[in-house]
Amino acid sequence: MGSMNQNSASGSSTESKAPAKSSVLRNALKMSFGTTLSRVLGLVREQLFAALFTKDITDAWVQAWRIPNLFRRILGEGSLSVNFLPIFVEQKQRSVEDAKSFAAGFFTLLFVFLTVFTTLGVLFSEQLVRILVATSYEQNLLKFERTVYFAQIMFGFIFMMSLFALFMAILNAFEEFFWPAVAPTFFNIAMIVSTLLPANLLPVSGETLAWGVLVGGVLQVAVLLPRLKALGFWPRFSLRVDWGPCRRVFYNMGPGLLGTGLMQMTVLVNSNFVSSLPEGSPSYIAWADRLLELPLSL
């Protein structure tokens, strides 16, 4: 009898491991598909960008893009989702209501912070661009003003990507991986459309590219909303903030923000240096970097 019980227990253990392995494999394939599709579309986007616009426009866009992209790596990808997820899972294990209350309170705090941060970023875009570019770049007034204008438009991308990081963490806690992985595809589609629009559609040449970033960010976030709603975690504001878990998230984010921020200092140095080189240099180096990252990301 003992042997039969042991065999039965062993059989059930093996059976339980099989679905778990299958689930991991499915989720991995879903994420791989989304990432691959996004990167391929990103390559198409860059090819169109390089082919259809003059280098003074692409240089301005590349330099302006470094600002929201830098903060995206620090806030969104670098620390927010990684530190929010485990604490959210703890609340979810206690009860779904605790998780909803925590998510609503944290969303409210994050929304207020991002509103203030984005407003300041738009107001001080000129000062931020001056840090990124060399004196010789500033002396080309048309190019410099275009870069500042693009940066003002695109700064809202940080707002959207920080929300995306939060929503992605919530979905991942429920083992929802496909839509967070495929969502950047919609950003690249918006960017491809923006490159194909008529050059004279807006007053400033290349302005469609800047608005494409903002629209793409909105689409990337919007794609996740139906799944959040289906899970009962539609974003909502709440004045009842659960300060204990929220403080833990912000406290844990500190080292990550510091480490990622120091690492991104090289971006500032490189950007300033390359802007002192002949026209087209910022664009060429950005595209070379994109080609280098493509096989790594895949």
Side-chain angles (χ1 to χ4, degrees), residues 163-176:
L163 292 183
F164 175 78
L166 174 64
F167 298 161
M168 178 180 67
I170 294 174
L171 291 177
N172 287 348
F174 288 91
E175 298 186 3
E176 294 269 356

Side-chain angles (χ1 to χ4, degrees), residues 80-81 84 103 106-107 110 161-170:
L80 178 58
S81 60
F84 175 84
F106 191 86
F107 170 74
L110 182 64
M161 287 305 96
S162 298
L163 292 183
F164 175 78
L166 174 64
F167 298 161
M168 178 180 67
I170 294 174

